[in-house]
Amino acid sequence: MAKWCCYILFLALKLGFIKPVLGEYPTPPYYTVTIANEGVDRLRSVGPHTEIKILSKGRVLEIQDYLTTGPKSYSEVKAYGITLRQGSSSITQWMEKHHWKIHEGSLMVCLQDKMLFTISSSKGRADISGPCTFIAEATSNGGYKFITLSGNPYIETKEKKLRMPAGRLVLVLGEQESLGNAYDVDIMLLLQSSLLFNAFEEPPPTMKKIGLAVFAQQKRMKGKYNALIGDATSDKNLQMWVLDNQESSN
Amino acid sequence: MKFRALSIFSLLIGGFQLSAQSITDAQRLQQTKIEVQSTKQINQAASQALKQGKQPTGQTSSNINASDTGMQRPVFLNTSNLSYFASITNSINRSANPLQKDTDLDIDKHGGHSFSWSKSLNLGALTNPIDINSVMLTIIAGGGWTDVEHLHAGTRELDGSPIPDGFFKTMDSQSASAYLLFMMQHESGWNYSVGSNLVWVNDPATKNETYRSFSPTVSASKPIQFPFDIVGVFKLDGGVNFSDTDPNTSQDRDEQDNWNISASLGFNYELWDIILSPQYTYSRLAYLTDNPNVAVNYNRVDYTNTLSLGANYNLSDNMSLGLNYSFEQSDSNKPSDLVKKYKNWNAGANVGISVNF
């Protein structure tokens, strides 16, 4: 009798008729929230309505869920050897198993295994081959900036495929779903000033690989430009802030 | 527990010092724009921002919105697989006990101090780091030439006998070296290296080769973060030295053969743009010569403790000035008339020019 009860309970759980008493039942595939401070919410469409729920550590996300962070909020979710850290004032959406969309803000993604991962924005979309670590940041033109922090992945859009060694930045363009010019950026400076990196108490899981990437870049460094890369206001314009002259040029 | 990114990177990159401060969560989440008006200020701003828990934005007179991504400064990298380096160093040193004869540093007892002038040239090439799973491999090959000239002009007694003028000139040397090194930076932070070194020494007066050696070496080092932004490096070295000594100056050709190990702990600390580098080294050197009849060094083992302090200031990207001081105390398991316990100190100054291309 007890054996049959267990079978029935297992089937009911499997088919989603019963949810565990504590929290939501993690129907695979799912992401688990590992870090979330105040101001991290999950938005889920339930019929014609949108359900908003405050996220805390241990909660799970389901496909099509939105993950939002307030002005001073940060979150980290994990699944399948993938770690995603979301910056403040960001809105992202889990689209498919290995596909996230950035509506606004920034995301750091650590891919520990070999896999194909897709990042899209309102207009841009590209596939990234892991293992690697990268930051994606939405830009004004509807595309996003892609910066590799470790590994040597390929980034591929409909029109172009590019090898992206650590420290390289490329713009995933909005209108043409293509790739813009690539730049090598100072990884050390970026990490020094990045809250996606420093606002968390624990280092990202690919920390050792990032460390090696910094080492390798320092060994190859010949010089630095007196400029900082800014926003991409359109597919043709990239803001470049010239530091010494205190002026910007598009 | 706070995650200190800068600490970790400064550990991975030898000699690259960065500030690392523990900051609270509340401090981290403050976002304050920082004015960056010059190139030099970028790094200062980033460093300051991390110390204060603020986010530098690369702000100029126009507005850039604060970004969690961090500052993206374009750089240009070496695109070829090989890099080359060259350096010229000139140094002058004063040694309190150049003949390494006594534990008393009274100069009258051991022949007086000596001044030496050293000129060296180093050339080499290295590969870009090669990514091999969890290791970055760099292969370095190079060579150098060093000329050491003793400038001592005084005459003193040594073991009761007067030292003739120009005695120290017999210690002058000209040497050439070549090396091949495989350096492996592991993701754990340990840096391993395996290599070999060839050295030839000539007597500048006779132009004859007086010494030649071949030395396979291994080493392992690990940077350690200490409080107050001090980066320490713990290092273990080992090597075997196969030598061939001029029979006119030695009792046995392989008299200088030895194997040696050493352990050191050094620190790097930047103070007003001057890099201070104190270091302690303990070394053990065991001679390998197998001829008990003629070799002074048969079954000899020396132990040396060395304390040193260096101060370096970069005048430009390619030129540096340095001061150095070291004190050493040596002991031997086989003291004799020729092999003695001794103490010595060296002090000197150097100027170096280096280029990378």
Side-chain angles (χ1 to χ4, degrees):
Chain A
M1 182 64 184
K3 191 177 171 184
W4 279 106
C5 283
C6 285
Y7 282 141
I8 292 165
L9 187 63
F10 175 77
L11 269 175
L13 280 166
K14 195 77 181 168
L15 297 172
F17 295 130
I18 302 172
K19 288 191 174 181
V21 179
L22 298 172
E24 300 147 299
Y25 177 66
T27 309
Y30 62 90
Y31 276 87
T32 306
V33 179
T34 48
I35 297 169
N37 61 359
E38 197 177 336
V40 179
D41 298 317
R42 183 213 67 192
L43 275 62
R44 180 178 292 167
S45 296
V46 181
H49 306 290
T50 301
E51 178 190 273
I52 302 174
K53 204 160 198 172
I54 295 170
L55 277 185
S56 57
K57 188 177 176 180
R59 296 280 183 173
V60 295
L61 296 177
E62 292 180 2
I63 284 178
Q64 296 299 321
D65 277 355
Y66 287 83
L67 183 61
T68 67
T69 46
K72 294 182 178 179
S73 306
Y74 296 89
S75 68
E76 181 186 87
V77 295
K78 287 187 175 183
Y80 325 110
I82 302 166
T83 302
L84 289 99
R85 285 183 169 186
Q86 184 164 319
S88 60
S89 305
S90 299
I91 304 170
T92 61
Q93 187 181 9
W94 182 21
M95 304 297 291
E96 296 163 8
K97 185 178 178 183
H98 288 165
H99 177 190
W100 278 72
K101 185 172 184 177
I102 305 178
H103 294 272
E104 203 171 312
S106 54
L107 201 61
M108 180 162 88
V109 182
C110 308
L111 305 177
Q112 290 172 266
D113 304 316
K114 193 173 180 181
M115 65 177 74
L116 201 64
F117 197 84
T118 305
I119 291 283
S120 61
S121 59
S122 58
K123 290 180 180 172
R125 180 189 169 113
D127 297 325
I128 298 104
S129 61
C132 64
T133 311
F134 63 88
I135 288 176
E137 182 188 30
T139 50
S140 303
N141 63 347
Y144 62 89
K145 273 186 209 168
F146 177 92
I147 308 164
T148 314
L149 297 181
S150 77
N152 194 12
Y154 277 108
I155 183 167
E156 187 172 7
T157 62
K158 278 182 182 173
E159 293 190 353
K160 204 170 179 181
K161 185 177 182 181
L162 205 61
R163 176 69 88 177
M164 291 290 293
R168 191 157 292 174
L169 178 153
V170 73
L171 291 165
V172 178
L173 303 176
E175 291 164 11
Q176 304 154 0
E177 210 170 284
S178 183
L179 298 172
N181 291 332
Y183 305 86
D184 286 310
V185 296
D186 187 347
I187 313 177
M188 174 71 88
L189 179 66
L190 185 136
L191 295 174
Q192 276 180 274
S193 54
S194 168
L195 286 176
L196 276 174
F197 204 74
N198 292 301
F200 295 82
E201 293 191 357
E202 296 296 327
T206 50
M207 178 65 211
K208 289 178 177 176
K209 300 288 183 195
I210 296 171
L212 280 183
V214 174
F215 170 82
Q217 192 191 57
Q218 292 290 331
K219 291 286 181 190
R220 293 180 59 206
M221 186 89 74
K222 290 188 82 176
K224 301 173 184 181
Y225 292 100
N226 298 337
L228 293 175
I229 294 172
D231 190 17
T233 50
S234 72
D235 279 2
K236 291 178 181 175
N237 291 332
L238 172 67
Q239 290 175 335
M240 193 75 82
W241 304 96
V242 180
L243 295 164
D244 282 333
N245 301 328
Q246 298 184 45
E247 61 187 30
S248 64
S249 59
N250 288 336
Chain B
M1 189 180 83
K2 305 297 176 195
F3 167 48
R4 300 190 300 175
L6 290 186
S7 310
I8 292 166
F9 288 118
S10 61
L11 296 185
L12 279 166
I13 299 167
F16 198 100
Q17 283 201 39
L18 290 164
S19 50
Q21 297 286 323
S22 256
I23 50 178
T24 65
D25 287 344
Q27 283 176 320
R28 280 199 185 98
L29 299 179
Q30 289 174 11
Q31 294 184 26
T32 306
K33 290 174 183 175
I34 293 176
E35 293 288 331
V36 179
Q37 294 170 347
S38 70
T39 310
K40 193 177 177 182
Q41 281 182 294
I42 301 173
N43 289 314
Q44 289 173 349
S47 179
Q48 185 190 358
L50 197 74
K51 280 180 181 176
Q52 297 175 354
K54 295 172 182 175
Q55 183 185 11
T57 59
Q59 184 78 10
T60 61
S61 52
S62 304
N63 65 327
I64 298 175
N65 291 328
S67 161
D68 292 316
T69 309
M71 289 193 277
Q72 297 131 42
R73 184 180 185 185
V75 295
F76 48 106
L77 305 174
N78 183 16
T79 51
S80 72
N81 290 325
L82 278 178
S83 303
Y84 305 92
F85 59 88
S87 67
I88 298 169
T89 308
N90 252 294
S91 63
I92 189 156
N93 284 285
R94 183 188 178 192
S95 174
N97 187 0
L99 298 176
Q100 302 176 341
K101 282 292 184 185
D102 212 314
T103 55
D104 192 337
L105 288 177
D106 181 351
I107 57 173
D108 287 331
K109 291 189 177 178
H110 49 69
H113 61 261
S114 82
F115 276 103
S116 63
W117 180 25
S118 171
K119 295 144 275 182
S120 65
L121 166 71
N122 284 291
L123 300 165
L126 72 160
T127 63
N128 276 334
I130 302 161
D131 192 352
I132 306 170
N133 290 325
S134 53
V135 166
M136 286 282 181
L137 169 69
T138 308
I139 304 168
I140 307 172
W145 176 85
T146 304
D147 178 272
V148 180
E149 185 179 353
H150 286 80
L151 308 172
H152 181 265
T155 303
R156 297 191 184 278
E157 288 192 346
L158 175 63
D159 298 332
S161 304
I163 296 177
D165 276 342
F167 172 78
F168 285 95
K169 280 284 177 192
T170 60
M171 294 165 66
D172 288 356
S173 66
Q174 286 176 341
S175 61
S177 64
Y179 61 88
L180 179 66
L181 200 60
F182 295 82
M183 285 181 62
M184 290 154 281
Q185 176 66 53
H186 191 259
E187 64 181 21
S188 63
W190 279 94
N191 186 304
Y192 306 100
S193 72
V194 180
S196 61
N197 198 17
L198 280 165
V199 175
W200 301 267
V201 180
N202 274 6
D203 180 347
T206 62
K207 303 292 179 192
N208 291 331
E209 183 180 288
T210 54
Y211 177 80
R212 181 194 307 171
S213 73
F214 169 67
S215 314
T217 58
V218 292
S219 81
S221 63
K222 168 115 179 165
I224 306 164
Q225 179 73 46
F226 289 91
F228 307 111
D229 300 345
I230 296 173
V231 178
V233 178
F234 173 68
K235 191 174 183 188
L236 293 168
D237 287 288
V240 185
N241 192 31
F242 302 105
S243 64
D244 187 3
T245 311
D246 181 358
N248 294 322
T249 61
S250 173
Q251 295 179 4
D252 198 18
R253 293 189 78 91
D254 61 359
E255 188 176 322
Q256 300 297 326
D257 285 7
N258 65 69
W259 70 272
N260 55 80
I261 52 170
S262 69
S264 67
L265 181 62
F267 301 91
N268 280 314
Y269 184 73
E270 192 171 341
L271 185 70
W272 303 312
D273 292 335
I274 297 171
I275 297 168
L276 299 174
S277 47
Q279 182 167 305
Y280 166 73
T281 307
Y282 171 79
S283 60
R284 180 189 188 277
L285 188 148
Y287 288 88
L288 295 171
T289 182
D290 55 1
N291 187 344
N293 298 319
V294 295
V296 174
N297 293 334
Y298 179 69
N299 273 347
R300 176 183 161 190
V301 182
D302 289 352
Y303 310 91
T304 308
N305 292 283
T306 308
L307 272 172
S308 64
L309 175 65
N312 270 283
Y313 177 73
N314 290 323
L315 292 169
S316 68
D317 287 346
N318 301 111
M319 193 170 184
S320 67
L321 286 177
L323 294 172
N324 59 277
Y325 174 84
S326 68
F327 175 79
E328 63 180 352
Q329 182 183 39
S330 183
D331 199 356
S332 177
N333 70 333
K334 195 182 173 187
S336 67
D337 287 345
L338 291 169
V339 181
K340 289 190 174 180
K341 297 179 182 180
Y342 71 89
K343 290 178 184 173
N344 186 21
W345 61 257
N346 286 282
N350 62 75
V351 57
I353 298 171
S354 61
V355 287
N356 296 296
F357 47 92

